[in-house]
Amino acid sequence: MNYEEFKEVFLKEIQKHYDGSVVIEIKPVLRNNNYQYDGLYITKSSSDKVTPIINMNQVYERCINERLELKQCVIQVCQFRDEDHSNESMAEFINKLTNWEEVKEMVYPVLIATKGNEELLSTLVTTPFLDLTVIYKVTEKDVNGEYSIKVSKAMLRKYGIIAEQLHEQALKNLKRETYQFISMDMFAMVRYFLDNSNNENRTGVSKMYILTSESLMYGATGILDKELIKRLAGKKNYYVILSSMHEALFVQDDGEIDTDRLNEIIADAHKHIVDKEEQLSDHYYHYSGETGEISLEN
């Protein structure tokens, strides 16, 4: 059964499950890097404040890969939709979203690629950073999970503030996050990030660190905190690799690295390791220990 056939039968089974008492819609949902999926909306009542978005593409893949019966898939999706405690928490979160005083401590910056995200960025509040773009998310965590939403231009108008104020608050909140440099094993670093030739002088020449957040999410955003980077990197120069949204790699610039090779390795990582939706940049940057600035060098 192909995806379109599955989708048609699946929606009919959901209607049967609810005795025809729900409204079912499928709408395209646009995500980072032009990733798009079919969002399934099951509305049980016109008074519903929250309608969870269910990724139909993932439902199909799971049912096929795990060889689940159609009824099993339907039951699982409907159980997720009917989790009242989760919906109540989400409703409380959504009720806060129009009030700046309620959300300002929950606003955080996120780095995404500019190229390829033009349609997504057209609706959001943005700030340029090098050849990337900073967007903003309102995020709240509780015992039931994490809820987040990107800050749109319409939301900003409701807040009654300007983009610069939003950016300033987001950077202030970012400083509360825990970031750290994690040193990579020297031998593994050399084998992965430097030329794979048999040059004996390569081993141990350079040091590499991963800048990541405590949650291991959106770690690359840490480079926006200049004081943090100065404290961690010191006065040394580094090549900065932002292949993924979730971490920044700092490779010490000791004059021994083949910089052409760096971009080749980033391209290879995008092809084989980093999911498309999580990809950030396809080239390296440079950090100056003297100025404390990250710049485009190539």
Side-chain angles (χ1 to χ4, degrees), residues 179-297:
Y179 283 86
Q180 57 185 329
F181 259 177
I182 300 176
S183 178
M184 294 285 285
D185 176 78
M186 298 295 283
F187 179 72
M189 179 279 295
V190 172
R191 285 182 60 91
Y192 186 77
F193 275 91
L194 301 182
D195 193 350
N196 290 325
S197 67
N198 293 321
N199 184 346
E200 294 180 0
N201 292 326
R202 290 287 188 184
T203 303
V205 168
S206 300
K207 292 183 178 180
M208 173 183 158
Y209 299 88
I210 298 178
L211 174 68
T212 186
S213 63
E214 187 176 37
S215 66
L216 303 180
M217 295 292 291
Y218 304 117
T221 305
I223 67 172
L224 297 176
D225 188 342
K226 292 184 178 181
E227 293 179 3
L228 169 72
I229 302 304
K230 271 188 178 181
R231 186 168 69 251
L232 297 178
K235 295 185 177 181
K236 296 177 181 177
N237 297 332
Y238 287 89
Y239 294 104
V240 183
I241 297 172
L242 304 174
S243 60
S244 166
M245 300 168 65
H246 300 308
E247 65 269 332
L249 309 183
F250 283 68
V251 183
Q252 189 174 324
D253 175 8
D254 57 6
E256 296 293 326
I257 294 177
D258 179 358
T259 54
D260 290 336
R261 184 78 175 110
L262 286 178
N263 285 340
E264 291 177 12
I265 293 169
I266 295 170
D268 187 65
H270 280 181
K271 185 176 180 180
H272 299 290
I273 301 173
V274 183
D275 290 343
K276 180 181 177 182
E277 192 179 354
E278 298 177 350
Q279 292 175 11
L280 187 53
S281 176
D282 61 0
H283 58 85
Y284 68 85
Y285 302 81
H286 193 266
Y287 172 78
S288 168
E290 181 179 354
T291 64
E293 298 288 339
I294 295 175
S295 62
L296 285 161
E297 195 179 70

Side-chain angles (χ1 to χ4, degrees), residues 129-146:
F129 177 77
L130 300 173
D131 61 341
L132 305 171
T133 297
V134 182
I135 63 171
Y136 307 91
K137 280 191 173 185
V138 179
T139 301
E140 184 174 48
K141 299 177 184 178
D142 67 14
V143 294
N144 295 315
E146 179 176 309

Side-chain angles (χ1 to χ4, degrees), residues 17 37 53 90 279:
H17 180 86
Y37 68 87
I53 305 174
M90 195 183 299
Q279 292 175 11

Side-chain angles (χ1 to χ4, degrees), residues 97-98 122-125 151-160:
L97 291 179
T98 57
S122 67
T123 64
L124 302 178
V125 183
V151 179
S152 67
K153 293 175 182 177
M155 290 170 64
L156 188 71
R157 289 193 291 271
K158 288 183 178 179
Y159 294 155

Side-chain angles (χ1 to χ4, degrees), residues 2-47:
N2 64 34
Y3 174 64
E4 292 301 324
E5 292 170 337
F6 173 85
K7 188 165 57 173
E8 183 179 351
V9 177
F10 188 82
L11 297 186
K12 289 180 180 178
E13 287 297 321
I14 288 181
Q15 283 287 11
K16 287 182 183 178
H17 180 86
Y18 288 110
D19 295 325
S21 63
V22 297
V23 175
I24 298 175
E25 296 178 282
I26 291 184
K27 301 177 184 178
V29 178
L30 184 63
R31 299 288 295 272
N32 189 40
N33 291 335
N34 208 29
Y35 172 76
Q36 188 169 298
Y37 68 87
D38 286 338
L40 171 64
Y41 298 77
I42 304 172
T43 305
K44 299 172 69 176
S45 166
S46 58
S47 62

Side-chain angles (χ1 to χ4, degrees), residues 58 80 84 120 208:
Q58 288 183 353
F80 171 78
D84 292 335
L120 176 64
M208 173 183 158

Side-chain angles (χ1 to χ4, degrees), residues 84-101:
D84 292 335
H85 65 276
S86 177
N87 292 340
E88 289 173 3
S89 298
M90 195 183 299
E92 290 176 7
F93 171 68
I94 289 176
N95 285 337
K96 298 175 183 178
L97 291 179
T98 57
N99 188 321
W100 174 241
E101 290 302 317

